[in-house]
Amino acid sequence: MSSSDGNKLEDPTIRDFIKEVSGEEALQVVKELQERGTAVDEELVENVELELNDVRRILYQLYQNGLAEYTRSRNSNTGWITYTWKLSLDNAENVMEKRKKQIVEELEERLVFEEENVFYLCPENHVKLTFEEATDIDFKCPECGEGLMHHENEEIIEEIKKEIKRLKDSI
């Protein structure tokens, strides 16, 4: 672990990002890994309240998001492969910025979809369908049979625009 990883873990934005990509329980694993510097997954399980498979899932998610690294070694007697993990938070800001850009792209696609379509909603909130989809089923909910109602989505469009702006301002 680099010396700056400990300081970065105190940053609430980085802690929130860790929770976003790996869940609330990931903080237990990250703190334990931070204390040890490097560790194999079986060692991490000793001091966290998680099953081995959960720890492995969290470590892999951290790795996929550039927040952890591993080295592989093979036991010459058993042939077993061991993964030794360490935190890699030095690049966390870049990883978070890349993720924000990806979310902005997804939101922009959703915005276009919301702006270019007319929607119909089941009064019981079973389905939200485009005009074309509603036409195909004679404007009746496929789950309850109730008639679909026109749905104004201006509020959704405004919320998407606000979130895009908020994310772009933070990049």
Side-chain angles (χ1 to χ4, degrees):
M1 172 181 71
S2 77
S3 60
S4 62
D5 278 349
N7 295 339
K8 290 189 181 297
L9 199 51
E10 294 172 14
D11 182 338
T13 306
I14 292 176
R15 282 198 315 273
D16 287 346
F17 183 62
I18 289 169
K19 289 189 283 188
E20 178 188 323
V21 299
S22 299
E24 181 81 32
E25 66 276 2
L27 290 177
Q28 294 179 56
V29 174
V30 169
K31 287 176 184 171
E32 183 66 20
L33 191 52
Q34 177 188 22
E35 287 176 17
R36 291 177 176 264
T38 62
V40 297
D41 46 12
E42 290 90 354
E43 294 170 337
L44 294 171
V45 170
E46 294 170 6
N47 292 321
V48 298
E49 298 174 10
L50 298 167
E51 298 293 322
L52 180 59
N53 284 341
D54 293 328
V55 170
R56 288 178 174 158
R57 176 188 49 80
I58 288 167
L59 289 168
Y60 185 70
Q61 289 168 332
L62 293 171
Y63 169 75
Q64 283 183 308
N65 286 281
L67 302 174
E69 301 172 0
Y70 66 85
T71 54
R72 279 183 358 176
S73 58
R74 184 181 297 273
N75 182 313
S76 57
N77 294 331
T78 64
W80 286 93
I81 295 176
T82 302
Y83 293 85
T84 304
W85 294 88
K86 72 175 186 170
L87 286 180
S88 177
L89 300 180
D90 287 338
N91 199 29
E93 287 89 358
N94 292 337
V95 172
M96 289 187 302
E97 186 172 316
K98 182 179 175 185
R99 178 73 178 124
K100 285 179 188 178
K101 287 178 181 177
Q102 179 184 359
I103 292 170
V104 167
E105 286 178 21
E106 292 168 3
L107 285 171
E108 287 173 338
E109 288 175 18
R110 171 81 188 276
L111 179 61
V112 168
F113 180 73
E114 290 288 337
E115 289 176 331
E116 292 182 351
N117 285 286
V118 175
F119 295 95
Y120 286 81
L121 192 65
C122 168
E124 301 295 321
N125 288 323
H126 290 129
V127 293
K128 176 183 173 183
L129 302 170
T130 63
F131 175 79
E132 290 79 15
E133 294 167 331
T135 302
D136 290 343
I137 58 171
D138 295 325
F139 295 88
K140 300 278 187 210
C141 176
E143 289 192 36
C144 68
E146 289 289 321
L148 301 176
M149 301 180 327
H150 181 260
H151 175 68
E152 286 296 329
N153 63 342
E154 278 304 313
E155 226 175 87
I156 293 170
I157 289 171
E158 287 309 309
E159 287 299 315
I160 293 171
K161 286 179 179 179
K162 283 180 192 173
E163 185 63 9
I164 290 171
K165 181 181 179 347
R166 186 187 70 77
L167 288 170
K168 282 184 173 180
D169 289 348
S170 71
I171 295 177

